[in-house]
Amino acid sequence: MLICVNISIDSLISHLILDMHLVPFKIDLVSLKRGNKHAYEAIYFEFYDVLYHLALQYLNNQQHAQEIVQDAFLKLWEIRESINDNTNIRNFLYTIVKNNSLNFIRNKQTAIRHYDIIQHHELEMQYQSLQRIGDEVMIADELQIKIEAALDKLPEEVRTVFEMSRFEDLKNAEIADKLGISKKTVEARMTRALKHLKLELKDYLLLFPLIWQQLS
């Protein structure tokens, strides 16, 4: 009968360490320190598989595991001349792979948390922007109603002059010609209309500077 057993990472690591120490392999440390590539390659081929599977158990990603192991062997080659004669190469490689794997996981978790924070801030800013837009739209709708109501309170001849000036963008002289009245009459009616609208729309003028300009 086949029994399935869940093996933890720590348990598997312990087995891997044991396997590394049981391998009947003699390391030519002297030749390695001299830069002998054959000695280096012998170490590489002897320990690559067990180190790869160690990293794979931590990272669960073949490419990242391969990169971690390659970095460990590269480190070994870079410091070969300074290696102590009593250095345990097996333990040295194992420690590098383990630490680099853990650092990779920590950096990835930090990056994920950082990304989540950025996303949260972006969503919050988008929400606030949409909320402001919604508020502004509501205020603009209210303002439109207020303007129409204020204009309705004006005498027809005063309202006509105001609309020709502000909505049709006509000059006072042009309005006077179209209506057959004097320019001073146009100016007087405009003054009356502006005073009335400023009073009616006083609560909105600070929120909408453009309206203030139109009423100046």
Side-chain angles (χ1 to χ4, degrees), residues 48 62-72 104:
Y48 179 87
Q62 294 182 351
Q63 181 179 348
H64 294 155
Q66 291 172 356
E67 292 173 355
I68 291 291
V69 175
Q70 294 291 355
D71 288 343
F104 182 90

Side-chain angles (χ1 to χ4, degrees), residues 101-119:
S101 296
L102 293 175
N103 288 336
F104 182 90
I105 293 172
R106 279 192 290 267
N107 292 337
K108 185 176 181 180
Q109 290 173 340
T110 300
I112 290 174
R113 286 196 296 271
H114 183 63
Y115 177 73
D116 288 342
I117 292 173
I118 291 176
Q119 271 198 323

Side-chain angles (χ1 to χ4, degrees), residues 67-203:
E67 292 173 355
I68 291 291
V69 175
Q70 294 291 355
D71 288 343
F73 281 109
L74 179 60
K75 182 67 175 179
L76 174 63
W77 179 255
E78 290 176 346
I79 68 167
R80 64 188 185 279
E81 295 180 356
S82 60
I83 293 177
N84 189 286
D85 292 339
N86 297 322
T87 298
N88 187 315
I89 298 299
R90 298 181 181 89
N91 292 344
F92 173 83
L93 291 171
Y94 162 76
T95 300
I96 292 179
V97 170
K98 175 185 175 182
N99 291 340
N100 288 354
S101 296
L102 293 175
N103 288 336
F104 182 90
I105 293 172
R106 279 192 290 267
N107 292 337
K108 185 176 181 180
Q109 290 173 340
T110 300
I112 290 174
R113 286 196 296 271
H114 183 63
Y115 177 73
D116 288 342
I117 292 173
I118 291 176
Q119 271 198 323
H120 174 75
H121 287 321
E122 288 179 348
L123 290 174
E124 183 67 22
M125 291 175 63
Q126 290 173 3
Y127 172 77
Q128 292 176 359
S129 297
L130 289 174
Q131 193 174 42
R132 285 196 298 270
I133 291 172
D135 293 341
E136 290 172 359
V137 169
M138 291 178 63
I139 294 173
D141 289 341
E142 292 177 6
L143 178 61
Q144 181 65 32
I145 295 173
K146 282 285 187 180
I147 291 175
E148 292 176 358
L151 290 174
D152 287 339
K153 293 180 182 179
L154 289 171
E156 184 176 351
E157 65 274 13
V158 176
R159 173 174 178 166
T160 299
V161 169
F162 178 82
E163 289 178 344
M164 292 177 73
S165 173
R166 292 300 188 261
F167 298 161
E168 298 179 28
D169 200 25
L170 297 178
K171 296 180 179 179
N172 289 349
E174 295 173 325
I175 296 172
D177 289 341
K178 285 182 176 289
L179 296 180
I181 57 178
S182 68
K183 185 177 177 181
K184 286 188 177 181
T185 300
V186 172
E187 292 173 353
R189 291 179 181 178
M190 276 298 300
T191 300
R192 182 178 176 182
L194 292 174
K195 286 183 178 179
H196 171 73
L197 290 173
K198 284 181 180 179
L199 181 62
E200 291 290 323
L201 304 176
K202 62 181 183 299
D203 295 333

